Amino acid sequence: MGFAGGTDHGRAMMKTGRMALIRLEAFLAASLALAPLARAADLTVMVVDGGGRPVADAVVTATPEGAALPPMTPSAPLIVDQIDEAFMPYVMVVPKGGAVTFRNSDLTRHHVYSYSEAAKFEFVLSPGQIGQRKFDQAGVVALGCNIHDHMIAHLYVTAAPFAAVTGRDGTAKLSGLPAAGVTVAAWQPRLKPGTTAPQRTVAATALGAPVTLTLPALLPDTRQGVDPERGGY
């Protein structure tokens, strides 16, 4: 009887050990599943001019080190509207391979076009009409209207996994970056042709701190009716 009891006790110990191992494996699996979320970081980037003034309508991109990530995913459909003879928005980030809908919300006809190297196209849009275009080549696409020469806008087509446009305060927030070093760059439509856009490498340990990028001298803003509160930017 003593031998049998010892066997039962051993089996119970083995069962307890297996249950503990199962619980440990489940814990490790859950921890690994949550690890990317725990490592995700937000990065705030401020873009300023040579005088330290905030610059709106600048595109900020972030490319982490390591394996290439797919282009950013827009949080909403990409729409360039035409309101009061102006393109809205003035600057838009478009992921490489993404499609943009062009909408005419004015009471007059518009002839939307681009002669840019990254995309050449044109739409004649009557009031209420829409057109759509897919953008497969990275680069800057300058938009115009053959009917209203003062209408201009810019699409920044990029393969970067993280990108945003600065607001009036000159800042852009990039969310969900992995815990890795990252290269941050800025571009603005008023950069002089041939100017190298500023960029900066940020270590993984510094991702929580704000980053400032300074643009070189900018060309004048030729748009009509620019809000004076934006300081010309």
Side-chain angles (χ1 to χ4, degrees), residues 56-81:
D57 302 315
V59 175
V60 175
T61 60
T63 305
E65 297 174 350
L69 298 175
M72 58 167 285
T73 300
S75 57
L78 300 177
I79 299 174
V80 174
D81 212 337

Side-chain angles (χ1 to χ4, degrees), residues 122-233:
E122 60 181 331
F123 295 119
V124 177
L125 299 177
S126 296
Q129 285 190 324
I130 65 172
Q132 193 173 67
R133 180 66 154 74
K134 185 178 180 182
F135 295 89
D136 292 318
Q137 182 175 336
V140 177
V141 178
L143 302 177
C145 175
N146 274 326
I147 301 174
H148 308 95
D149 290 339
H150 60 273
M151 292 178 61
I152 55 174
H154 302 269
L155 306 180
Y156 191 88
V157 185
T158 178
F162 302 93
V165 179
T166 59
R168 294 188 179 193
D169 61 355
T171 63
K173 186 175 182 179
L174 305 173
S175 301
L177 277 71
V182 63
T183 298
V184 183
W187 172 89
Q188 216 269 358
R190 293 168 52 211
L191 284 172
K192 294 180 179 179
T195 300
T196 301
Q199 67 177 35
R200 178 176 168 185
T201 299
V202 181
T205 55
L207 281 181
V211 173
T212 299
L213 294 176
T214 303
L215 296 175
L218 297 173
L219 297 171
D221 193 334
T222 59
R223 289 177 293 161
Q224 295 182 357
V226 176
D227 186 348
E229 291 184 1
R230 297 173 66 173
Y233 295 110

